[in-house]
Amino acid sequence: MNIAIVLASGKGTRMTNHRVPKAFIDVGGKPLLYYSLSTFQNCSLIDQIVLAVPKEYLKTASKYRDIYGLNKLAHVIVGGATRQESVRLALDYIKAFPEDIVLIHDSARPLVSERIIFSNIQIASKTGAVATVMPASDTIIVSKNGDVVDDVPDRSKCFIEQTPASFRFDVIHRAHQEALKDHINDISDDVKLVKRLGVEVVMVLGERKNFKVTNEEDLEYLLTLLGK
Ligand code: CTP
Ligand code: MG
């Protein structure tokens, strides 16, 4: 079984012109989270979707199954205070076998493609752990204090991470349980949590259009791409 966790429980504090949480911002008549949900719904390899939303939006989001014909949407749950917690709570809801594949996706990336989802599932089924990435086209600068340059790593070794990240259920479940045991609660990246276990994570190629809507400028860009 292949299960998608769609994360929509963040506040969207960098969306300064909007009062509603980022995932619920209106994009051409539909909430932002609708776009990735419908791609997972329409993807033949996906069996089930679990959606994490803020507490105040549980009622609203629970209606999306009927409103948007999302019959794979098995659970709508209240997320946590951090992204890590939202993922863990979603994992707690899933009744999965160890070998089932879990894809974890940010609803803030509305234009995820079927091609990305397919390659995540294909490679995760073989290897157990997958990160979606783009080769860095700009040079990456590392700065500890945000003022001065500490390091300029070799660009050919730098990649920008997107989502989904996908894992065998037993791998991602163990990663989150270990983190909890070690009192780690705010690692926003699942790949980083899985790397703590010493598990190898294989990279698959993302797409430029699978960008994350983080600020108002990103939202304008999205509306342009969608022709809205
Ligand atoms: N997320 C979540 N639960 C949280 C925090 C984040 O489900 N407690 C989700 C967001 O809904 C988003 C994804 O994680 O889809 C990526 O996070 P980010 O882009 O940082 O979104 P926000 O946390 O909502 O935005 P900001 O950091 O600007 O407040
Ligand atoms: Mg955030």
Side-chain angles (χ1 to χ4, degrees):
M1 196 158 72
N2 302 313
I3 304 157
I5 294 176
V6 175
L7 296 171
S9 195
K11 289 197 172 72
T13 50
R14 289 168 285 181
M15 299 295 304
T16 44
N17 301 343
H18 288 82
R19 281 164 177 229
V20 295
K22 185 161 67 183
F24 295 87
I25 291 175
D26 182 283
V27 177
K30 298 198 171 76
L32 178 67
L33 58 75
Y34 162 80
Y35 292 87
S36 54
L37 280 178
S38 78
T39 303
F40 283 106
Q41 166 73 35
N42 294 330
C43 187
S44 58
L45 292 182
I46 295 294
D47 300 293
Q48 223 182 70
I49 304 169
V50 180
L51 172 66
V53 299
K55 192 161 168 261
E56 319 79 71
Y57 282 79
L58 186 63
K59 229 173 151 182
T60 305
S62 300
K63 295 181 189 146
Y64 290 167
R65 193 174 191 277
D66 292 338
I67 295 176
Y68 297 123
L70 304 170
N71 66 344
K72 293 180 185 173
L73 188 52
H75 305 285
V76 181
I77 68 158
V78 176
T82 64
R83 185 187 183 280
Q84 181 189 328
E85 214 182 317
S86 295
V87 175
R88 191 180 67 244
L89 293 169
L91 288 170
D92 286 346
Y93 259 84
I94 294 174
K95 302 266 172 296
F97 291 109
E99 66 276 14
D100 286 340
I101 300 299
V102 181
L103 299 88
I104 303 170
H105 185 67
D106 294 337
S107 65
R109 295 183 188 275
L111 301 184
V112 61
S113 69
E114 250 187 75
R115 205 268 312 151
I116 292 177
I117 296 171
F118 275 131
S119 45
N120 265 257
I121 292 172
Q122 189 187 29
I123 306 298
S125 308
K126 280 193 201 133
T127 66
V130 164
T132 303
V133 304
M134 291 290 285
S137 51
D138 295 324
T139 298
I140 305 287
I141 281 181
V142 179
S143 168
K144 285 185 194 123
N145 64 7
D147 289 324
V148 297
V149 175
D150 287 309
D151 195 14
V152 184
D154 179 358
R155 191 182 59 205
S156 66
K157 295 194 175 71
C158 292
F159 296 81
I160 308 291
E161 195 186 358
Q162 301 186 336
T163 66
S166 305
F167 312 94
R168 274 173 50 116
F169 178 76
D170 57 343
V171 172
I172 189 65
H173 188 260
R174 189 155 58 88
H176 277 268
Q177 292 310 310
E178 288 291 326
L180 190 62
K181 211 173 73 191
D182 297 340
H183 308 287
I184 292 169
N185 233 315
D186 197 9
I187 291 187
S188 64
D189 187 61
D190 296 290
V191 169
K192 193 165 173 177
L193 283 183
V194 165
K195 286 297 293 172
R196 288 183 75 242
L197 304 177
V199 170
E200 185 174 77
V201 181
V202 177
M203 300 194 288
V204 303
L205 187 63
E207 287 164 20
R208 209 172 257 261
K209 78 170 171 35
N210 185 31
F211 69 100
K212 182 157 74 76
V213 175
T214 302
N215 54 39
E216 298 291 345
E217 195 185 343
D218 298 326
L219 185 61
E220 274 171 36
Y221 179 53
L222 174 66
L223 290 168
T224 309
L225 284 180
L226 293 173
K228 310 270 183 201

